[in-house]
Amino acid sequence: MADIQEIISLIQNPTEEDTALIRKAYDFALEAHKDQKRKSGEPYFTHLFATAKNLAELGMGATTISAGLLHDTIEDVPISAETIEKEFGKEIRFLVEGVTKLGKIRYSGTSKHHNESLRKLFVAMSQDIRVLIVKLCDRLHNMQTLQYVSKEKQLRIATETLEIYAPIAYRLGIRKLHRELEDMAFKYVYPEKYAEVEELLKKKEGIEIETLEKFLRSLKKELAKNGVTEFQTDYRIKGMYSLYKKLQRMEIDRVHDIAALRIIVSTVAECYRVLGVIHSAWRPLPGRIKDYISVPKPNGYRSLHTTVFTGDGGIVEVQIKTPEMYQEAEYGIASHITYKQSQREGKKQKMTNPNLLWVKRIIPIQENWNESTGQKNLSANLADVPRWVKELVEYQKEAGEEFISEIKTDFFQERIFVFTPKGDVIDLPIGSSIIDFAYAIHSDIGNRISGAKVNGKFVAITSTLQNGDRVEIETKKSAKPNRKWIEFCKTTMAKRHIRNALEK
Ligand code: MN
């Protein structure tokens, strides 16, 4: 158990420094926590080891893995932040302290405390996303060992996981964490519903996989006929909580993605080619063809999706993607951190599509770190944090009691991507109007808006935007906000700016 090689073997081409750093953190944590036990009766170190291993599995580098090993030293045992800095440097101190601060907040379910904990979370996230990734990996192991704590604590931690941590993992595109956190929390928060879905899935899963494998055999022949021979396949089973949510909207017989087939080909052009082969042999279900390659999901997800009739009564969802898209879909923001790190360290770069919109919104993780002052260049760093994180930090300064309900509607709901005439991407909650768009660019533009074109056509500024729209705003010096606009706004930011302007 807890063999350090298990962690090191997960790192791609570790340098000697990487290995030495992790070994030092490993020994340090082992010694610091030697008298402590987990509620399960296991040595406390097993928790630190599991957290570090989760981080390594996400592809994080030696610095973050070491911070994972050390993440409970300041809070749980009398080791000072200064000692951590002396032994491991300013950067690891910053990460460990960041996680410690997050650990002190207690989710009590009352909105005031909830607000406070979210605020801290988003501020930490905007400073260095790695703090949050360590926290998510810490939480994953705590969820895996939740059976050992009191009933009351189980419910508190699981609810917090379901309402805060899992949605954040989703927004960061780390599907691997999102699904695991969500399904484990689901079991504690809604035990009866969980049992129902589990039962249902048990019945359905086998049939679905059978249909899928039969379809795959015909598909392979069809692809070979069309000269497509280089591809990999696998399938994924829908998460339990995700299925539960879907079942609230539709009957089980209308859910066609309990099992989904994935086809992985080497290039984007091949993706479209495979889609063409499939559609010429099988009839697609109308409305289920999704091109998330040309218009990715707001969390960065890219893939082609289609759902087809198999011809013998079955219906199968197929997802077509490249290995890079596959990687990004599982690891999200974490895969870009690794990319940045290996770029900095001059290692072989992972292939990443330069056109990927999302890359523009990713934090250059360590570049802004100033080792001599121990300070981060926050303004430069913030410029590259995902826009919605920046907005959250701005909001929370002014928002009051409504903060929670606001962020639930603004940030954890589905988002759309819309484009400026120059091709910059603005991401907004679904249902946003042109007014929201204008204020998202700048309050002056919002306050001076006089007209707008969407995809080249003049439309009313109160119109609702769709994913992929290209929006041009026209402004006039004499234009002024109107109280009526508020009804057509979805974002809190726009509403607030309008109210402020009206008061003046
Ligand atoms: Mn911990």
Side-chain angles (χ1 to χ4, degrees):
M1 63 140 280
D3 181 352
I4 193 170
Q5 279 310 323
E6 277 183 51
I7 293 176
I8 294 182
S9 66
L10 291 166
I11 306 176
Q12 270 187 354
N13 318 318
T15 62
E16 266 172 48
E17 291 86 47
D18 289 342
T19 313
L21 176 62
I22 294 171
R23 191 171 296 281
K24 189 177 176 190
Y26 179 99
D27 292 338
F28 191 94
L30 194 60
E31 173 62 25
H33 296 274
K34 67 177 190 298
D35 299 326
Q36 267 180 296
K37 286 218 181 328
R38 293 279 286 177
K39 282 269 161 48
S40 62
E42 288 184 300
Y44 195 85
F45 183 72
T46 55
H47 168 65
L48 309 166
F49 183 82
T51 305
K53 200 176 159 193
N54 289 337
L55 287 163
E57 277 171 2
L58 281 182
M60 304 303 292
T63 308
T64 316
I65 293 172
S66 301
L69 284 163
L70 300 167
H71 82 266
D72 280 331
T73 47
I74 299 178
E75 174 151 43
D76 292 358
V77 288
I79 283 176
S80 66
E82 287 72 28
T83 306
I84 297 292
E85 180 174 330
K86 207 173 110 241
E87 296 292 325
F88 297 97
K90 287 192 163 75
E91 190 178 352
I92 290 185
R93 173 191 174 158
F94 177 87
L95 294 175
V96 173
E97 270 193 312
V99 179
T100 306
K101 281 179 202 148
L102 289 180
K104 287 213 181 94
I105 51 192
R106 291 279 175 256
Y107 180 85
S108 65
T110 68
S111 75
K112 216 175 179 178
H113 288 113
H114 196 163
N115 273 352
E116 202 41 43
S117 70
L118 281 169
R119 281 166 206 235
K120 287 190 181 170
L121 202 63
F122 290 119
V123 171
M125 196 154 128
S126 71
Q127 287 171 342
D128 192 323
I129 211 92
R130 289 176 303 170
V131 170
L132 192 79
I133 293 178
V134 175
K135 184 70 192 170
L136 290 171
C137 288
D138 165 54
R139 177 52 58 103
L140 182 62
H141 184 251
N142 286 336
M143 288 303 298
Q144 284 160 344
T145 50
L146 203 60
Q147 71 265 38
Y148 300 109
V149 307
S150 68
K151 275 262 165 341
E152 187 200 354
K153 202 172 171 190
Q154 279 176 355
L155 190 62
R156 173 170 67 75
I157 293 188
T159 307
E160 186 186 57
T161 301
L162 202 57
E163 292 190 354
I164 300 176
Y165 289 99
I168 288 174
Y170 177 80
R171 287 301 310 276
L172 296 176
I174 315 174
R175 181 154 57 178
K176 197 176 141 57
L177 283 180
H178 167 241
R179 262 198 46 187
E180 281 185 64
L181 288 172
E182 204 172 64
D183 283 357
M184 281 188 289
F186 178 33
K187 191 174 173 175
Y188 290 98
V189 180
Y190 305 107
E192 284 156 25
K193 300 286 177 203
Y194 182 89
E196 279 173 35
V197 174
E198 196 178 30
E199 190 61 30
L200 200 60
L201 204 55
K202 229 190 271 171
K203 274 189 229 153
K204 278 271 173 188
E205 202 180 306
I207 308 167
E208 291 262 330
I209 293 171
E210 221 173 276
T211 312
L212 198 142
E213 282 175 348
K214 198 169 155 213
F215 172 74
L216 180 58
R217 284 193 292 274
S218 328
L219 175 62
K220 279 183 177 168
K221 282 182 208 152
E222 203 60 39
L223 288 172
K225 255 202 281 179
N226 288 275
V228 184
T229 50
E230 299 272 307
F231 59 89
Q232 286 176 298
T233 59
D234 77 352
Y235 62 84
R236 68 111 188 89
I237 302 293
K238 199 172 184 63
M240 306 252 279
Y241 188 64
S242 153
L243 180 57
Y244 164 68
K245 280 193 297 189
K246 204 159 192 176
L247 289 173
Q248 293 179 316
R249 287 182 277 129
M250 59 180 73
E251 293 291 311
I252 183 80
D253 294 327
R254 286 186 54 220
V255 180
H256 302 305
D257 64 342
I258 291 178
L261 179 66
R262 288 158 164 171
I263 302 174
I264 298 122
V265 288
S266 59
T267 64
V268 170
E270 282 283 285
C271 291
Y272 288 102
R273 190 157 160 228
V274 168
L275 184 71
V277 172
I278 294 174
H279 283 177
S280 46
W282 289 275
R283 194 156 62 83
L285 252 75
R288 295 296 304 269
I289 308 164
K290 306 266 168 64
D291 184 349
Y292 295 124
I293 293 181
S294 57
V295 185
K297 280 192 188 181
N299 69 356
Y301 179 80
R302 294 183 305 155
S303 181
L304 297 176
H305 286 194
T306 186
T307 304
V308 297
F309 295 99
T310 59
D312 54 3
I315 290 174
V316 168
E317 178 175 307
V318 188
Q319 306 177 349
I320 309 160
K321 52 191 88 181
T322 64
E324 292 75 36
M325 293 176 200
Y326 187 92
Q327 177 83 6
E328 281 159 11
E330 292 300 309
Y331 302 107
I333 203 165
S335 70
H336 294 284
I337 293 172
T338 324
Y339 169 67
K340 284 283 181 189
Q341 276 178 347
S342 55
Q343 210 178 25
R344 200 187 62 254
E345 288 155 13
K347 288 180 187 165
K348 193 168 166 285
Q349 288 179 16
K350 246 180 16 187
M351 279 219 335
T352 303
N353 181 349
N355 296 322
L356 177 57
L357 301 166
W358 203 53
V359 170
K360 285 200 262 177
R361 310 187 299 148
I362 296 301
I363 309 164
I365 289 296
Q366 287 162 335
E367 278 84 341
N368 291 310
W369 191 270
N370 184 335
E371 188 62 39
S372 62
T373 60
Q375 293 292 315
K376 296 191 57 130
N377 181 353
L378 265 188
S379 54
N381 197 43
L382 270 173
D384 297 307
V385 172
R387 180 184 191 95
W388 59 276
V389 175
K390 279 194 283 182
E391 283 175 19
L392 272 176
V393 175
E394 282 304 308
Y395 270 28
Q396 55 96 11
K397 287 184 197 152
E398 294 180 39
E401 291 290 312
E402 335 76 72
F403 183 55
I404 299 288
S405 55
E406 283 172 8
I407 68 148
K408 277 189 177 162
T409 53
D410 279 15
F411 293 97
F412 290 158
Q413 277 186 358
E414 285 287 321
R415 310 268 293 184
I416 53 165
F417 265 157
V418 286
F419 299 88
T420 69
K422 283 186 191 153
D424 288 335
V425 182
I426 306 292
D427 100 66
L428 293 166
I430 240 169
S432 291
S433 65
I434 291 168
I435 304 170
D436 289 301
F437 174 87
Y439 280 102
I441 296 179
H442 199 279
S443 57
D444 284 344
I445 300 199
N447 288 336
R448 303 259 172 274
I449 179 169
S450 61
K453 276 186 191 173
V454 171
N455 305 325
K457 286 190 187 124
F458 281 106
V459 291
I461 58 168
T462 50
S463 311
T464 305
L465 293 168
Q466 305 297 325
N467 207 15
D469 279 349
R470 192 168 45 83
V471 190
E472 277 169 78
I473 301 287
E474 300 193 338
T475 55
K476 248 193 226 148
K477 271 231 155 75
S478 57
K480 277 196 193 81
N482 180 324
R483 185 164 300 277
K484 277 219 130 166
W485 287 6
I486 295 173
E487 291 166 38
F488 298 97
C489 288
K490 189 85 182 174
T491 59
T492 320
M493 187 196 269
K495 290 180 197 165
R496 209 178 61 217
H497 282 309
I498 296 167
R499 281 195 200 101
N500 285 349
L502 289 171
E503 276 166 27
K504 281 178 200 161

